[in-house]
Amino acid sequence: MLDWQDIHIFLEVARSQRLTDAARRLGLDHSTLSRRTRRFEQQLNTQLFERSTHGYHLTEAGQQLLAHAEEMARHAFEASESLTDKNHQISGQIRLGVTEGFGTWVIAPLLSAFCARHPGVTLDLLALPRVVNLSRHEADLAITVERPASPGLVISRLCDYRLRLYGSRDYLARHGRPETLAALGRHRLIGYVDDLIFSEQLNYLDPLLDPAVVGHPGPHFAMRSTSVTTQHAACLHGAGLAVLPCFMAETSAPLARVLADEVAIDRQFWITARQEQRRLARVRLLWDFLRDALDANRAFLMGEARTLAMPALASNKR
């Protein structure tokens, strides 16, 4: 018979892929976790992990066990929620993963109303310049710029948003305002690091910088960054022109739209949860809150309003 503690340890290592991260989540020290993992493999007489300096990666046998372990964990989770009646309580912890810019400029301000309405809920907001992995249990809910393709997820289109090309008034005074796309070839630009971009949905500049349009020599990047917040700060202080979400740039008085008739890029955000998490009352409540709050802010997200409309702070009557 398999010991549930061994399965739990196996799952955490498989999800984290790093022993130090799994040890921290389990509350064990690194050496103890290493011994427990090797002992479990010896018990099964099967190697479950390939170990390297890059972490722990599942072998074929490990992948087979993972499917069973995930199912066991799901049943254990549902049994716990049902027996303790937590799925009917508006309390507990919710971990929400979201892209850095959207999380900082839109979601965090909106969540102040949710926190005021539901003081029994603790929110962990993971605002990161990467995709949060729900299959590794990094979060309960995720907001992404691409529609996830993983099975077992509940997925819904959350909202649209618009990006435009911006420059600081100081930069435009020093370098002039480009009047055509071809003129971008003579300007300093700010963008993402090509080989570190985490979604093709963020590849805004390539379509604008077609060599046939901008000519040669090509545009000069004054700065590239994996962080849209860093790009915004660089643009704000005159380093160059940047494609930025309207929800960030329109609130910054020193920034001005550039080539407004030619550059208007529309994208979407998607909200996602694992099926078992989506059934929890507190997760459903946050899901619905976000949909309502962002529906009310369509004009702000599309660059047609400069102020975020805040939800009422009054307690939710149920």
Side-chain angles (χ1 to χ4, degrees):
M1 295 290 292
L2 294 178
D3 188 301
W4 169 245
Q5 288 298 320
D6 290 332
I7 293 294
H8 188 202
I9 286 172
F10 164 78
L11 269 176
E12 287 298 336
V13 176
R15 290 166 178 169
S16 302
Q17 296 185 346
R18 296 185 65 85
L19 212 59
T20 51
D21 294 339
R24 183 173 61 252
R25 289 170 65 95
L26 291 165
L28 299 174
D29 63 75
H30 180 280
S31 58
T32 298
L33 185 56
S34 178
R35 287 196 305 272
R36 291 284 300 268
T37 303
R38 289 191 180 278
R39 188 176 67 192
F40 186 42
E41 289 178 316
Q42 291 168 0
Q43 176 189 341
L44 297 175
N45 196 27
T46 302
Q47 184 178 353
L48 301 174
F49 297 101
E50 294 284 355
R51 296 162 173 82
S52 72
T53 55
H54 300 292
Y56 277 49
H57 300 282
L58 290 172
T59 62
E60 184 177 348
Q63 291 286 357
Q64 292 175 359
L65 178 59
L66 180 64
H68 297 292
E70 290 281 10
E71 187 72 7
M72 292 171 66
R74 183 178 69 81
H75 285 301
F77 174 83
E78 290 178 351
S80 173
E81 290 289 321
S82 174
L83 290 171
T84 59
D85 202 32
K86 286 184 179 178
N87 56 326
H88 297 300
Q89 298 177 15
I90 309 306
S91 63
Q93 178 181 341
I94 310 175
R95 181 165 288 186
L96 171 62
V98 61
T99 53
E100 177 198 23
F102 193 50
T104 301
W105 293 80
V106 177
I107 298 301
L110 292 177
L111 287 180
S112 62
F114 184 87
C115 293
R117 294 179 188 180
H118 307 290
V121 174
T122 299
L123 278 175
D124 291 345
L125 183 60
L126 311 184
L128 303 170
R130 64 173 178 86
V131 176
V132 171
N133 193 325
L134 292 181
S135 64
R136 294 184 188 169
H137 294 240
E138 290 184 341
D140 302 304
L141 282 170
I143 299 174
T144 61
V145 294
E146 286 188 351
R147 190 185 194 283
S150 301
L153 298 178
V154 181
I155 303 167
S156 178
R157 184 166 172 165
L158 182 60
C159 63
D160 295 346
Y161 69 105
R162 181 166 292 157
L163 305 103
R164 291 187 178 277
L165 185 65
Y166 292 92
S168 72
R169 301 184 191 282
D170 175 65
Y171 173 90
L172 296 175
R174 287 185 287 113
H175 298 277
R177 179 187 293 267
E179 300 297 334
T180 64
L181 285 174
L184 290 180
R186 300 189 296 274
H187 280 268
R188 299 163 62 84
L189 300 178
I190 301 163
Y192 284 96
V193 182
D194 290 342
D195 59 330
L196 296 178
I197 196 168
F198 67 87
S199 169
E200 275 303 308
Q201 294 297 313
L202 304 179
N203 188 13
Y204 315 121
L205 283 173
D206 277 0
L208 303 178
L209 301 179
D210 186 340
V213 175
V214 301
H216 298 282
H220 170 64
F221 278 88
M223 182 182 297
R224 298 190 299 177
S225 173
T226 57
S227 163
V228 69
T229 302
T230 301
Q231 293 175 37
H232 175 269
C235 184
L236 192 65
H237 289 86
L241 306 178
V243 173
L244 297 170
C246 295
F247 60 73
M248 295 175 65
E250 293 293 331
T251 61
S252 303
L255 294 182
R257 294 181 184 180
V258 176
L259 297 173
D261 293 335
E262 288 86 354
V263 183
I265 303 166
D266 291 352
R267 291 288 191 268
Q268 297 78 42
F269 282 113
W270 301 83
I271 187 167
T272 311
R274 298 189 307 281
Q275 291 180 1
E276 65 270 22
Q277 295 300 107
R278 180 66 175 82
R279 289 194 287 266
L280 298 180
R282 60 184 180 271
V283 173
R284 292 199 311 271
L285 200 67
L286 179 57
W287 180 294
D288 293 341
F289 170 87
L290 290 171
R291 292 195 65 86
D292 292 344
L294 292 167
D295 282 347
N297 275 287
R298 183 188 180 283
F300 178 72
L301 296 171
M302 300 302 286
E304 298 163 1
R306 289 179 175 267
T307 305
L308 186 67
M310 298 299 294
L313 295 179
S315 297
N316 192 29
K317 302 297 183 183
R318 298 184 64 82

PDB file of all heavy atoms in Angstrom, residues 119-141:
ATOM      1  N   PRO A 119     -13.851  40.404   4.820  1.00  0.00           N
ATOM      2  CA  PRO A 119     -12.665  40.443   5.687  1.00  0.00           C
ATOM      3  C   PRO A 119     -12.181  39.058   6.112  1.00  0.00           C
ATOM      4  O   PRO A 119     -11.051  38.922   6.577  1.00  0.00           O
ATOM      5  CB  PRO A 119     -13.142  41.259   6.897  1.00  0.00           C
ATOM      6  CG  PRO A 119     -14.637  41.137   6.877  1.00  0.00           C
ATOM      7  CD  PRO A 119     -15.023  41.047   5.438  1.00  0.00           C
ATOM      8  N   GLY A 120     -13.005  38.020   5.948  1.00  0.00           N
ATOM      9  CA  GLY A 120     -12.567  36.680   6.312  1.00  0.00           C
ATOM     10  C   GLY A 120     -11.711  36.005   5.266  1.00  0.00           C
ATOM     11  O   GLY A 120     -11.178  34.919   5.507  1.00  0.00           O
ATOM     12  N   VAL A 121     -11.571  36.632   4.103  1.00  0.00           N
ATOM     13  CA  VAL A 121     -10.780  36.056   3.015  1.00  0.00           C
ATOM     14  C   VAL A 121      -9.395  36.694   2.988  1.00  0.00           C
ATOM     15  O   VAL A 121      -9.255  37.915   3.110  1.00  0.00           O
ATOM     16  CB  VAL A 121     -11.480  36.270   1.654  1.00  0.00           C
ATOM     17  CG1 VAL A 121     -10.593  35.799   0.509  1.00  0.00           C
ATOM     18  CG2 VAL A 121     -12.809  35.532   1.622  1.00  0.00           C
ATOM     19  N   THR A 122      -8.374  35.871   2.856  1.00  0.00           N
ATOM     20  CA  THR A 122      -7.004  36.363   2.666  1.00  0.00           C
ATOM     21  C   THR A 122      -6.629  36.180   1.199  1.00  0.00           C
ATOM     22  O   THR A 122      -6.701  35.071   0.666  1.00  0.00           O
ATOM     23  CB  THR A 122      -6.014  35.584   3.543  1.00  0.00           C
ATOM     24  OG1 THR A 122      -6.355  35.764   4.911  1.00  0.00           O
ATOM     25  CG2 THR A 122      -4.584  36.075   3.303  1.00  0.00           C
ATOM     26  N   LEU A 123      -6.218  37.266   0.551  1.00  0.00           N
ATOM     27  CA  LEU A 123      -5.852  37.226  -0.861  1.00  0.00           C
ATOM     28  C   LEU A 123      -4.333  37.249  -1.021  1.00  0.00           C
ATOM     29  O   LEU A 123      -3.667  38.129  -0.477  1.00  0.00           O
ATOM     30  CB  LEU A 123      -6.441  38.429  -1.601  1.00  0.00           C
ATOM     31  CG  LEU A 123      -7.894  38.330  -2.051  1.00  0.00           C
ATOM     32  CD1 LEU A 123      -8.334  39.662  -2.656  1.00  0.00           C
ATOM     33  CD2 LEU A 123      -8.065  37.221  -3.078  1.00  0.00           C
ATOM     34  N   ASP A 124      -3.807  36.284  -1.751  1.00  0.00           N
ATOM     35  CA  ASP A 124      -2.411  36.321  -2.177  1.00  0.00           C
ATOM     36  C   ASP A 124      -2.409  36.719  -3.652  1.00  0.00           C
ATOM     37  O   ASP A 124      -2.917  35.973  -4.502  1.00  0.00           O
ATOM     38  CB  ASP A 124      -1.746  34.942  -2.033  1.00  0.00           C
ATOM     39  CG  ASP A 124      -1.554  34.539  -0.586  1.00  0.00           C
ATOM     40  OD1 ASP A 124      -1.669  35.409   0.286  1.00  0.00           O
ATOM     41  OD2 ASP A 124      -1.303  33.347  -0.340  1.00  0.00           O
ATOM     42  N   LEU A 125      -1.866  37.889  -3.970  1.00  0.00           N
ATOM     43  CA  LEU A 125      -1.843  38.372  -5.346  1.00  0.00           C
ATOM     44  C   LEU A 125      -0.446  38.159  -5.917  1.00  0.00           C
ATOM     45  O   LEU A 125       0.520  38.791  -5.477  1.00  0.00           O
ATOM     46  CB  LEU A 125      -2.223  39.852  -5.403  1.00  0.00           C
ATOM     47  CG  LEU A 125      -2.302  40.472  -6.803  1.00  0.00           C
ATOM     48  CD1 LEU A 125      -3.337  39.766  -7.663  1.00  0.00           C
ATOM     49  CD2 LEU A 125      -2.602  41.965  -6.704  1.00  0.00           C
ATOM     50  N   LEU A 126      -0.322  37.253  -6.891  1.00  0.00           N
ATOM     51  CA  LEU A 126       0.950  36.980  -7.549  1.00  0.00           C
ATOM     52  C   LEU A 126       0.992  37.772  -8.851  1.00  0.00           C
ATOM     53  O   LEU A 126       0.446  37.338  -9.875  1.00  0.00           O
ATOM     54  CB  LEU A 126       1.093  35.480  -7.831  1.00  0.00           C
ATOM     55  CG  LEU A 126       0.796  34.509  -6.687  1.00  0.00           C
ATOM     56  CD1 LEU A 126       1.077  33.081  -7.137  1.00  0.00           C
ATOM     57  CD2 LEU A 126       1.624  34.848  -5.455  1.00  0.00           C
ATOM     58  N   ALA A 127       1.585  38.949  -8.816  1.00  0.00           N
ATOM     59  CA  ALA A 127       1.714  39.798 -10.006  1.00  0.00           C
ATOM     60  C   ALA A 127       3.105  39.573 -10.590  1.00  0.00           C
ATOM     61  O   ALA A 127       4.095  40.111 -10.089  1.00  0.00           O
ATOM     62  CB  ALA A 127       1.505  41.260  -9.637  1.00  0.00           C
ATOM     63  N   LEU A 128       3.187  38.766 -11.644  1.00  0.00           N
ATOM     64  CA  LEU A 128       4.472  38.275 -12.147  1.00  0.00           C
ATOM     65  C   LEU A 128       4.616  38.509 -13.647  1.00  0.00           C
ATOM     66  O   LEU A 128       3.633  38.447 -14.384  1.00  0.00           O
ATOM     67  CB  LEU A 128       4.588  36.764 -11.880  1.00  0.00           C
ATOM     68  CG  LEU A 128       4.439  36.307 -10.422  1.00  0.00           C
ATOM     69  CD1 LEU A 128       4.323  34.794 -10.369  1.00  0.00           C
ATOM     70  CD2 LEU A 128       5.616  36.792  -9.598  1.00  0.00           C
ATOM     71  N   PRO A 129       5.855  38.740 -14.121  1.00  0.00           N
ATOM     72  CA  PRO A 129       6.090  38.875 -15.567  1.00  0.00           C
ATOM     73  C   PRO A 129       6.229  37.514 -16.245  1.00  0.00           C
ATOM     74  O   PRO A 129       7.164  37.256 -16.992  1.00  0.00           O
ATOM     75  CB  PRO A 129       7.403  39.677 -15.618  1.00  0.00           C
ATOM     76  CG  PRO A 129       8.135  39.279 -14.392  1.00  0.00           C
ATOM     77  CD  PRO A 129       7.078  39.027 -13.338  1.00  0.00           C
ATOM     78  N   ARG A 130       5.288  36.618 -15.964  1.00  0.00           N
ATOM     79  CA  ARG A 130       5.268  35.279 -16.563  1.00  0.00           C
ATOM     80  C   ARG A 130       3.885  34.686 -16.348  1.00  0.00           C
ATOM     81  O   ARG A 130       3.030  35.272 -15.677  1.00  0.00           O
ATOM     82  CB  ARG A 130       6.321  34.371 -15.926  1.00  0.00           C
ATOM     83  CG  ARG A 130       6.112  34.072 -14.448  1.00  0.00           C
ATOM     84  CD  ARG A 130       7.084  33.045 -13.937  1.00  0.00           C
ATOM     85  NE  ARG A 130       6.945  32.759 -12.526  1.00  0.00           N
ATOM     86  CZ  ARG A 130       6.098  31.873 -12.017  1.00  0.00           C
ATOM     87  NH1 ARG A 130       5.304  31.181 -12.835  1.00  0.00           N
ATOM     88  NH2 ARG A 130       6.037  31.656 -10.715  1.00  0.00           N
ATOM     89  N   VAL A 131       3.668  33.506 -16.916  1.00  0.00           N
ATOM     90  CA  VAL A 131       2.394  32.816 -16.759  1.00  0.00           C
ATOM     91  C   VAL A 131       2.415  32.004 -15.463  1.00  0.00           C
ATOM     92  O   VAL A 131       3.372  31.266 -15.206  1.00  0.00           O
ATOM     93  CB  VAL A 131       2.117  31.887 -17.958  1.00  0.00           C
ATOM     94  CG1 VAL A 131       0.835  31.092 -17.741  1.00  0.00           C
ATOM     95  CG2 VAL A 131       2.038  32.701 -19.249  1.00  0.00           C
ATOM     96  N   VAL A 132       1.380  32.142 -14.654  1.00  0.00           N
ATOM     97  CA  VAL A 132       1.249  31.346 -13.442  1.00  0.00           C
ATOM     98  C   VAL A 132       0.725  29.962 -13.829  1.00  0.00           C
ATOM     99  O   VAL A 132      -0.220  29.838 -14.606  1.00  0.00           O
ATOM    100  CB  VAL A 132       0.292  32.021 -12.444  1.00  0.00           C
ATOM    101  CG1 VAL A 132      -0.014  31.104 -11.274  1.00  0.00           C
ATOM    102  CG2 VAL A 132       0.903  33.319 -11.937  1.00  0.00           C
ATOM    103  N   ASN A 133       1.345  28.920 -13.295  1.00  0.00           N
ATOM    104  CA  ASN A 133       1.027  27.543 -13.668  1.00  0.00           C
ATOM    105  C   ASN A 133       0.026  26.944 -12.680  1.00  0.00           C
ATOM    106  O   ASN A 133       0.370  26.592 -11.556  1.00  0.00           O
ATOM    107  CB  ASN A 133       2.317  26.705 -13.701  1.00  0.00           C
ATOM    108  CG  ASN A 133       2.118  25.370 -14.371  1.00  0.00           C
ATOM    109  OD1 ASN A 133       1.052  24.764 -14.258  1.00  0.00           O
ATOM    110  ND2 ASN A 133       3.135  24.905 -15.077  1.00  0.00           N
ATOM    111  N   LEU A 134      -1.227  26.825 -13.118  1.00  0.00           N
ATOM    112  CA  LEU A 134      -2.260  26.262 -12.247  1.00  0.00           C
ATOM    113  C   LEU A 134      -2.079  24.765 -12.050  1.00  0.00           C
ATOM    114  O   LEU A 134      -2.424  24.225 -10.994  1.00  0.00           O
ATOM    115  CB  LEU A 134      -3.652  26.529 -12.835  1.00  0.00           C
ATOM    116  CG  LEU A 134      -4.116  27.978 -12.859  1.00  0.00           C
ATOM    117  CD1 LEU A 134      -5.520  28.054 -13.444  1.00  0.00           C
ATOM    118  CD2 LEU A 134      -4.088  28.605 -11.480  1.00  0.00           C
ATOM    119  N   SER A 135      -1.546  24.078 -13.051  1.00  0.00           N
ATOM    120  CA  SER A 135      -1.370  22.625 -12.931  1.00  0.00           C
ATOM    121  C   SER A 135      -0.352  22.274 -11.852  1.00  0.00           C
ATOM    122  O   SER A 135      -0.364  21.175 -11.308  1.00  0.00           O
ATOM    123  CB  SER A 135      -0.955  22.024 -14.273  1.00  0.00           C
ATOM    124  OG  SER A 135       0.312  22.502 -14.678  1.00  0.00           O
ATOM    125  N   ARG A 136       0.546  23.208 -11.527  1.00  0.00           N
ATOM    126  CA  ARG A 136       1.496  23.010 -10.425  1.00  0.00           C
ATOM    127  C   ARG A 136       0.980  23.603  -9.126  1.00  0.00           C
ATOM    128  O   ARG A 136       1.721  23.754  -8.159  1.00  0.00           O
ATOM    129  CB  ARG A 136       2.849  23.629 -10.775  1.00  0.00           C
ATOM    130  CG  ARG A 136       3.564  22.946 -11.930  1.00  0.00           C
ATOM    131  CD  ARG A 136       4.921  23.561 -12.122  1.00  0.00           C
ATOM    132  NE  ARG A 136       5.577  23.079 -13.325  1.00  0.00           N
ATOM    133  CZ  ARG A 136       6.681  23.604 -13.843  1.00  0.00           C
ATOM    134  NH1 ARG A 136       7.257  24.637 -13.253  1.00  0.00           N
ATOM    135  NH2 ARG A 136       7.212  23.121 -14.942  1.00  0.00           N
ATOM    136  N   HIS A 137      -0.286  24.006  -9.129  1.00  0.00           N
ATOM    137  CA  HIS A 137      -0.932  24.536  -7.923  1.00  0.00           C
ATOM    138  C   HIS A 137      -0.235  25.815  -7.439  1.00  0.00           C
ATOM    139  O   HIS A 137      -0.174  26.064  -6.231  1.00  0.00           O
ATOM    140  CB  HIS A 137      -0.970  23.484  -6.817  1.00  0.00           C
ATOM    141  CG  HIS A 137      -1.852  22.313  -7.155  1.00  0.00           C
ATOM    142  ND1 HIS A 137      -2.933  21.950  -6.405  1.00  0.00           N
ATOM    143  CD2 HIS A 137      -1.822  21.427  -8.186  1.00  0.00           C
ATOM    144  CE1 HIS A 137      -3.532  20.898  -6.933  1.00  0.00           C
ATOM    145  NE2 HIS A 137      -2.858  20.560  -8.026  1.00  0.00           N
ATOM    146  N   GLU A 138       0.262  26.632  -8.369  1.00  0.00           N
ATOM    147  CA  GLU A 138       0.862  27.906  -7.969  1.00  0.00           C
ATOM    148  C   GLU A 138      -0.200  28.906  -7.527  1.00  0.00           C
ATOM    149  O   GLU A 138       0.103  29.845  -6.800  1.00  0.00           O
ATOM    150  CB  GLU A 138       1.677  28.495  -9.127  1.00  0.00           C
ATOM    151  CG  GLU A 138       2.948  27.747  -9.447  1.00  0.00           C
ATOM    152  CD  GLU A 138       3.773  28.408 -10.526  1.00  0.00           C
ATOM    153  OE1 GLU A 138       3.240  29.241 -11.283  1.00  0.00           O
ATOM    154  OE2 GLU A 138       4.967  28.095 -10.616  1.00  0.00           O
ATOM    155  N   ALA A 139      -1.438  28.731  -8.006  1.00  0.00           N
ATOM    156  CA  ALA A 139      -2.511  29.656  -7.662  1.00  0.00           C
ATOM    157  C   ALA A 139      -3.851  28.942  -7.788  1.00  0.00           C
ATOM    158  O   ALA A 139      -3.958  27.867  -8.374  1.00  0.00           O
ATOM    159  CB  ALA A 139      -2.469  30.877  -8.579  1.00  0.00           C
ATOM    160  N   ASP A 140      -4.894  29.571  -7.226  1.00  0.00           N
ATOM    161  CA  ASP A 140      -6.261  29.063  -7.353  1.00  0.00           C
ATOM    162  C   ASP A 140      -6.927  29.606  -8.613  1.00  0.00           C
ATOM    163  O   ASP A 140      -7.729  28.925  -9.250  1.00  0.00           O
ATOM    164  CB  ASP A 140      -7.088  29.467  -6.130  1.00  0.00           C
ATOM    165  CG  ASP A 140      -6.476  28.967  -4.836  1.00  0.00           C
ATOM    166  OD1 ASP A 140      -6.261  27.750  -4.720  1.00  0.00           O
ATOM    167  OD2 ASP A 140      -6.189  29.798  -3.952  1.00  0.00           O
ATOM    168  N   LEU A 141      -6.617  30.839  -8.935  1.00  0.00           N
ATOM    169  CA  LEU A 141      -7.141  31.517 -10.115  1.00  0.00           C
ATOM    170  C   LEU A 141      -5.980  32.148 -10.864  1.00  0.00           C
ATOM    171  O   LEU A 141      -4.995  32.567 -10.256  1.00  0.00           O
ATOM    172  CB  LEU A 141      -8.103  32.643  -9.715  1.00  0.00           C
ATOM    173  CG  LEU A 141      -9.537  32.310  -9.299  1.00  0.00           C
ATOM    174  CD1 LEU A 141     -10.191  33.566  -8.731  1.00  0.00           C
ATOM    175  CD2 LEU A 141     -10.332  31.817 -10.490  1.00  0.00           C
TER     176      LEU A 141
END
